[in-house]
Amino acid sequence: MRHNLLISSLLASAAFIAMPAEADQGRFIATGGATSIEGSAGGGIVPWATLSSYAEEGQWGATAAVTEVSVDDFRLSVLGVSLTYDNRFELSAAKQTFDLSTIGGELKQDVFGVKYRVAGDLIYGDLPQFSVGLQHKRNSTFALPSAVGAQSDSGTDYYVSAAKVWLDGPFHRTWLANITLRATKANQIGLLGFGGDQNNDYEIQPEVAVGMFINRNWAVGAEYRTKPDNLGFAEEHDWYDIFVAYFPTKSVSVVAAYADLDSIAGLADQTGWYLSLQATF
Amino acid sequence: MSIKSIIFAVALLCASTPSHADDSLYQELGGQAGISQLMETFVLEIASDDRIIHHFEKTDIERLHRLLTEQVCVIAGGPCEYTGEDMVTVHTGMNITRAEFNALVEDLMTAMEQEEVPVTTQNRLLAALAEMHSEVVGL
């Protein structure tokens, strides 16, 4: 955490130094979303159809983010970066460290993501924004996943997402909804490897997010993510979070959330907090 | 639910829809005076926005202010007439990019904040203006 705090403050200062570049950013504030735990632009636990940064047609944008999720017996730390061009292509990378606070030890994974906006627009027109993406994940620690029945130390998730913003939604507030369908073999998002003794096939998992903007800078919302259940040693459950997001400028944003990760590796009721800081360039 | 009660419900819905134009947004924006003031602040924001000012170099600012006021008044359901040309005609050949359209909308957001327009009213106006995106961008 101390290490991440240092990176956080570096990020924040870098973002403020980069602020003059803000004038070149061609999309509305908050439309880049946050950095999800797998590095793709999205919410906290769900990748959204939105592309990172505020790059519009013909523009480049980039983000860097640090995220900490702390629940009863585990702690997840993520460093994520992304690059977006043309509001069309997004490349991302994330380094995850999953600290097994109670059991002891840690699990590590790298995630490389690609996202492509296929059609539509988040704000304008009748169509939602449609994107397709993939997340290639590689475990750098596989002893524990292997011991509990994981079949592979790497895997690739494929997803399609649709997102839509209603500027004048219910209560005359601006609302956002996103649905993502992910084909995956990942156990606990890949931290416990891919495929298992009970199932080694891809499964389609729906993930949804809804948010409401209180004003241009503050949003509240919730996400729900279903997950496969491939390993016999412990049942795997769905995750959800309830978040508050703050976008003071186009350069920095903060997301705080309550996260319910249910039971992980047989340890029940893993609830706690989620905090993510993002800088946009 | 019986057919009768459905007919009754539909009749009730029709009855509760006001026959005159809904001018609630016009009222929320402060009527003619409020809209004129807001458009003045908006034009000043545009004038200091390097991202889009080049599109307004030959613009008669007085006329722009009058036409914007008329147009917002009409969109908001106010008792006005828009005397300018239609959006497609005005913007054809200007090659306005998506980023420039967004910049213009951001200037309006800033103007509405300065004029302390409530968020709910801002959203109603923004949603109406967003409908014009395809009549302005890339022509």
Side-chain angles (χ1 to χ4, degrees):
Chain A
M1 184 64 183
R2 191 174 303 153
H3 178 61
N4 270 4
L5 271 180
L6 176 68
I7 293 168
S8 303
S9 48
L10 280 174
L11 271 182
S13 30
F16 282 115
I17 291 163
M19 269 178 82
E22 193 179 330
D24 299 320
Q25 303 279 14
R27 281 189 279 142
F28 297 146
I29 194 160
T31 52
T35 302
S36 66
I37 49 173
E38 288 150 314
S40 309
I45 57 173
V46 177
W48 295 356
T50 52
L51 276 75
S52 76
S53 84
Y54 297 109
E56 245 302 344
E57 273 181 354
Q59 300 177 336
W60 288 90
T63 63
V66 289
T67 303
E68 289 279 332
V69 189
S70 181
V71 293
D72 298 68
D73 298 297
F74 305 98
R75 189 178 191 105
L76 175 66
S77 307
V78 187
L79 294 175
V81 290
S82 79
L83 189 64
T84 288
Y85 176 66
D86 205 29
N87 192 22
R88 182 66 72 180
F89 304 94
E90 176 192 293
L91 294 176
S92 61
K95 190 170 256 314
Q96 300 174 333
T97 306
F98 193 64
D99 189 6
L100 310 169
S101 321
T102 309
I103 304 167
E106 60 182 23
L107 299 171
K108 287 185 171 189
Q109 173 175 250
D110 296 323
V111 185
F112 303 95
V114 181
K115 194 191 293 181
Y116 177 76
R117 180 171 65 85
V118 179
D121 184 87
L122 191 63
I123 310 268
Y124 303 115
D126 297 326
L127 271 186
Q129 174 160 323
F130 290 99
S131 296
V132 295
L134 64 81
Q135 292 173 342
H136 180 65
K137 304 174 175 184
R138 307 184 74 87
N139 292 166
S140 32
T141 48
F142 191 59
L144 180 63
S146 173
V148 297
Q151 303 295 301
S152 175
D153 65 355
S154 70
T156 305
D157 291 353
Y158 302 90
Y159 64 90
V160 294
S161 287
K164 175 87 187 143
V165 160
W166 291 269
L167 288 170
D168 184 25
F171 316 113
H172 294 302
R173 299 285 162 179
T174 298
W175 288 71
L176 172 138
N178 180 89
I179 180 157
T180 297
L181 293 176
R182 181 198 301 258
T184 183
K185 291 167 85 166
N187 311 316
Q188 300 294 3
I189 72 171
L191 289 162
L192 281 178
F194 304 84
D197 50 317
Q198 293 206 329
N199 174 51
N200 195 27
D201 294 323
Y202 272 100
E203 282 184 8
I204 307 274
Q205 301 292 338
E207 304 172 10
V208 294
V210 177
M212 186 192 82
F213 285 87
I214 296 164
N215 58 29
R216 310 261 157 256
N217 306 104
W218 287 89
V220 292
E223 294 181 299
Y224 193 92
R225 172 172 179 167
T226 68
K227 292 163 46 252
D229 185 18
N230 301 330
L231 298 173
F233 91 106
E235 209 174 318
E236 183 166 343
H237 298 271
D238 300 346
W239 286 358
Y240 76 85
D241 67 71
I242 298 166
F243 66 82
V244 178
Y246 178 46
F247 299 85
T249 71
K250 283 189 182 178
S251 298
V252 278
S253 64
V254 185
V255 178
Y258 165 79
D260 186 337
L261 310 186
D262 209 302
S263 115
I264 296 177
L267 296 172
D269 300 327
Q270 299 299 318
T271 59
W273 54 264
Y274 169 106
L275 190 65
S276 184
L277 177 74
Q278 175 180 263
T280 304
F281 307 94
Chain B
M1 196 186 256
S2 71
I3 296 287
K4 228 179 212 173
S5 57
I6 291 171
I7 292 171
F8 179 72
V10 170
L12 203 65
L13 273 174
C14 295
S16 65
T17 308
S19 52
H20 59 86
D22 176 12
D23 71 346
S24 61
L25 180 54
Y26 174 74
Q27 299 299 346
E28 282 178 34
L29 288 167
Q32 190 64 42
I35 292 171
S36 179
Q37 174 62 44
L38 176 60
M39 289 303 106
E40 192 177 320
T41 309
F42 178 35
V43 168
L44 289 173
E45 279 299 316
I46 295 171
S48 61
D49 189 340
D50 293 337
R51 298 173 296 181
I52 54 173
I53 188 60
H54 58 281
H55 282 302
F56 295 92
E57 275 165 356
K58 292 171 189 161
T59 302
D60 174 349
I61 295 297
E62 294 285 323
R63 182 170 176 274
L64 176 67
H65 174 257
R66 179 170 54 80
L67 290 176
L68 283 171
T69 305
E70 286 176 6
Q71 194 176 28
V72 169
C73 175
V74 171
I75 287 168
C80 308
E81 195 189 342
Y82 174 62
T83 59
E85 292 175 293
D86 70 85
M87 288 288 99
V88 174
T89 308
V90 172
H91 296 100
T92 297
M94 290 180 74
N95 293 312
I96 292 170
T97 66
R98 296 171 53 91
E100 287 168 343
F101 185 88
N102 288 342
L104 187 84
V105 177
E106 283 179 350
D107 291 339
L108 178 61
M109 290 174 181
T110 307
M112 290 193 291
E113 284 296 322
Q114 279 181 29
E115 295 299 328
E116 295 178 353
V117 176
V119 172
T120 51
T121 308
Q122 290 188 22
N123 288 339
R124 293 183 67 186
L125 183 58
L126 290 173
L129 295 174
E131 297 283 321
M132 294 181 177
H133 187 259
S134 61
E135 300 170 19
V136 173
V137 170
L139 301 175

